Amino acid sequence: MTNLAISPNTQEQIEAWLRGLLAVAWADGDFEAHERELIPTLALGELKPADKLSAITPITVEELAAALGQNQNMAENFLRTAVMVAIADGTYSTPEDELLHQFCHALGLQDNVLVSLRHTLCDRPQDELGSYPHIDVLHPVRDWLDGLEIQDPKVARFLCKMIPPQCPFERDIKLFGHKVVHIPPLCKLNPLYEQLVGLRFRALSYLADDCGEDVSEYI
């Protein structure tokens, strides 16, 4: 495989980036045992053998800030990808929100967008959030996420694997091997659905057009 793109990020920065994304993916604990084993392989496959051991250890906010905090553009792009990973399964939880705020403050970024995103929390009583806003209140969030730049093949591959090619809520419910009900796609009800789809498409395009990679395994 010939990689035509040159990443502006160092190996240390990419390791910190991927460890940060893994921390977000693990934050709410809402996955089964086999999924817990699967998620690290998404990132570990993108690292050199010598780096894989440290990659499966939780990253601290200090480590993240040391690796990414000196470049505001890089830090903001990391936070964008972290938000995308948090909402990739169709829900946004309090543990994910708290971790993202910790990352945001450690990187010296403004948390205005994350504050707006709190209106989509799935596990907080409505009276703690106030009245649910009109969907336009998330317009700044959508614009901010659309500004994500894909500049590294390792991060692009991780996002193509993390963001499902179809709605994760669409599924058949079976009883004794027989389908009893079909749950239709619900992701389009999520006001940030288009941002997820757009990010995955940009990551695929980057790998295919800029890196010259075969992306058929992600489709």
Side-chain angles (χ1 to χ4, degrees):
M1 178 177 61
T2 301
N3 191 340
L4 304 178
I6 299 176
S7 172
N9 307 320
T10 66
Q11 182 68 21
E12 178 187 6
Q13 289 168 334
I14 290 303
E15 179 182 338
W17 194 312
L18 293 174
R19 288 173 64 197
L21 296 186
L22 285 174
V24 175
W26 280 334
D28 61 5
D30 188 20
F31 45 82
E32 298 177 1
H34 73 280
E35 294 174 310
R36 178 181 288 274
E37 296 175 1
L38 174 63
I39 290 174
T41 67
L42 301 183
L44 296 185
E46 305 299 343
L47 299 176
K48 297 178 181 179
D51 299 319
K52 290 186 177 182
L53 181 60
S54 62
I56 61 175
T57 60
I59 194 168
T60 66
V61 293
E62 292 80 12
E63 289 176 314
L64 188 71
L68 306 180
Q70 304 305 310
N71 184 318
Q72 185 171 10
N73 184 60
M74 183 185 300
E76 194 151 9
N77 273 328
F78 162 77
L79 194 63
R80 287 185 176 103
T81 59
V83 168
M84 290 293 194
V85 167
I87 64 176
D89 63 353
T91 61
Y92 185 52
S93 67
T94 295
E96 291 168 329
D97 176 71
E98 292 174 348
L99 181 59
L100 287 174
H101 272 82
Q102 291 175 24
F103 285 169
C104 180
H105 295 154
L107 294 170
L109 301 175
Q110 296 294 322
D111 67 352
N112 299 12
V113 169
L114 295 182
V115 171
S116 297
L117 193 60
R118 279 181 169 166
H119 288 289
T120 68
L121 281 171
C122 65
D123 56 358
R124 184 171 295 183
Q126 190 65 33
D127 57 1
E128 292 184 18
L129 294 172
S131 59
Y132 193 85
H134 189 276
I135 193 171
D136 283 348
V137 80
L138 294 179
H139 182 73
V141 181
R142 295 194 293 271
D143 281 350
W144 179 75
L145 292 176
D146 284 338
L148 173 61
E149 301 172 2
I150 306 293
Q151 297 180 322
D152 187 275
K154 299 180 182 67
V155 173
R157 295 186 202 108
F158 182 91
L159 293 172
C160 287
K161 294 173 183 177
M162 273 298 302
I163 300 174
Q166 63 183 15
C167 176
F169 296 117
E170 183 177 17
R171 66 190 66 180
D172 292 329
I173 304 300
K174 296 183 178 181
L175 183 61
F176 302 117
H178 299 283
K179 184 174 73 173
V180 294
V181 67
H182 174 76
I183 300 178
L186 299 177
C187 279
K188 290 187 178 181
L189 300 178
N190 186 325
L192 301 177
Y193 173 77
E194 296 298 334
Q195 279 60 51
L196 277 173
V197 172
L199 171 61
R200 195 175 195 278
F201 177 78
R202 293 201 304 277
L204 285 170
S205 298
Y206 171 81
L207 291 174
D209 299 337
D210 294 6
C211 302
E213 294 189 14
D214 179 4
V215 297
S216 57
E217 66 175 293
Y218 306 121
I219 299 174

